[in-house]
Amino acid sequence: MTATGARDAFLHWMETERRASPLTLAAYRGDLDRFLAFLVGHLGAGPDLAALAGLSLADLRAWLAHEHAAALSGRRATTQDRAARTRARRVSALRSFYRYLARYHGVDNPAPGLLATPRTRRPLPRPLPTAQALDVPEGVADIAHTPLARVRDGALFMLLYGCGLRISEALGLDVRDLDRAQALGEGTKGDGVLRIQGKGGRERMVPVLPQVMAALRRWRGVHPLPQADAPLFVGVRGGRLQAGIAQRAMRTWRHMAGLPEHATPHALRHSFATHLMEGGADLRVIQDLLGHASLSTTQRYTLADEARLMDVWTRAHPHATDTPPDTVR
């Protein structure tokens, strides 16, 4: 098998078995394409599985150094932290690729595991204030071009904020998922329970508030093709609504309403978690609702809240800008 064939098989495996997101797949494809193109010049020929098995740690470091030099020569503006994140992603792509090769093609090469991964600072979540988050569903719906899209967009953005879903999770729902949610919600305090399949195929149960369910029911009532196996959110041609369409609608509303640039569909997920935490919800509960594999990921919301409190303090406290007196000696 050629290296390009192994790359394609790996990406297909990532998509079907690991349920990697489209963004992850696109990033890994780009990194591996650049890696294999480098090897053609580095080795003097297109690599096969035997060549991949024989690469040394020095060969892999040479590729990373080549990419870093290319970025500098291209004068691409980058911060140190951004460069570190890019290198970390490339190292992750290589390691994942070689783990797949070892598991399915007998390519045992320890070199990728010896690559140093740079430390990166994960950006803190930037939620919207409660009032702004509550305004988003109605605001986005108001600028829709058709009455049908108005109901659909209102339901979609109500779902994103009300349940803390990723945009891909919401758009991946089918009509049957809404029907099941109503059945599962019988006897609960909410109005339904959605079964969500998130990253890595992890499944979680998310309660649906009455206001959110009411918006979803309104949309189902005018859904153009409400068969059980049809996408819950459809575009103008009847296919599954694309994330880019929803993101563009949010972007348009953001500019009209004067919201900050970080006001994206994903910011509604951050807002959901932050507002729950501010209301006293336990971090473990928030972790379950968001579908985080690790509690450390959820704890970023605690750090974000501390940063917000410090910002409020420095802007509002009378002594925040005082110059401290000289120390008495």
Side-chain angles (χ1 to χ4, degrees), residues 1-84:
M1 177 183 286
T2 64
T4 54
R7 175 209 58 201
D8 293 341
F10 162 69
L11 293 171
H12 178 73
W13 175 78
M14 286 284 291
E15 180 180 15
T16 57
E17 299 295 327
R18 299 297 301 275
R19 298 185 181 275
S21 71
L23 289 177
T24 297
L25 291 171
Y28 277 23
R29 176 176 289 278
D31 290 336
L32 293 176
D33 283 350
R34 297 173 72 90
F35 173 61
L36 297 181
F38 166 79
L39 291 181
V40 172
H42 187 67
L43 301 176
D48 55 13
L49 293 185
L52 292 177
L55 292 178
S56 66
L57 181 60
D59 294 322
L60 302 183
R61 285 174 173 167
W63 173 60
L64 294 173
H66 170 79
E67 291 297 324
H68 182 67
L72 293 179
S73 64
R75 297 181 180 179
R76 293 201 292 265
T78 183
T79 63
Q80 182 176 356
D81 193 56
R82 182 179 175 184

Side-chain angles (χ1 to χ4, degrees), residues 297-308:
T297 305
T298 314
Q299 286 173 331
R300 294 165 56 217
Y301 292 99
T302 304
L303 298 175
D305 193 53
E306 290 175 355
R308 183 185 63 82

Side-chain angles (χ1 to χ4, degrees), residues 192-265:
V193 181
L194 272 172
R195 189 187 301 273
I196 302 296
Q197 193 160 37
K199 285 186 175 180
R202 290 187 295 273
E203 193 175 86
R204 68 187 191 275
M205 307 299 286
V206 180
V208 184
L209 295 171
Q211 300 93 320
V212 178
M213 185 58 78
L216 292 172
R217 286 190 182 122
R218 283 195 297 272
W219 165 239
R220 196 192 188 291
V222 297
H223 195 294
L225 297 167
Q227 294 95 336
D229 60 348
L232 180 57
F233 297 104
V234 295
V236 293
R237 297 180 181 177
R240 196 175 298 277
L241 183 66
Q242 296 178 3
I245 302 298
Q247 290 162 346
R248 185 168 66 233
M250 179 77 175
R251 188 163 56 247
T252 302
W253 163 246
R254 179 179 73 208
H255 293 156
M256 293 177 62
L259 300 182
E261 290 298 310
H262 68 265
T264 64

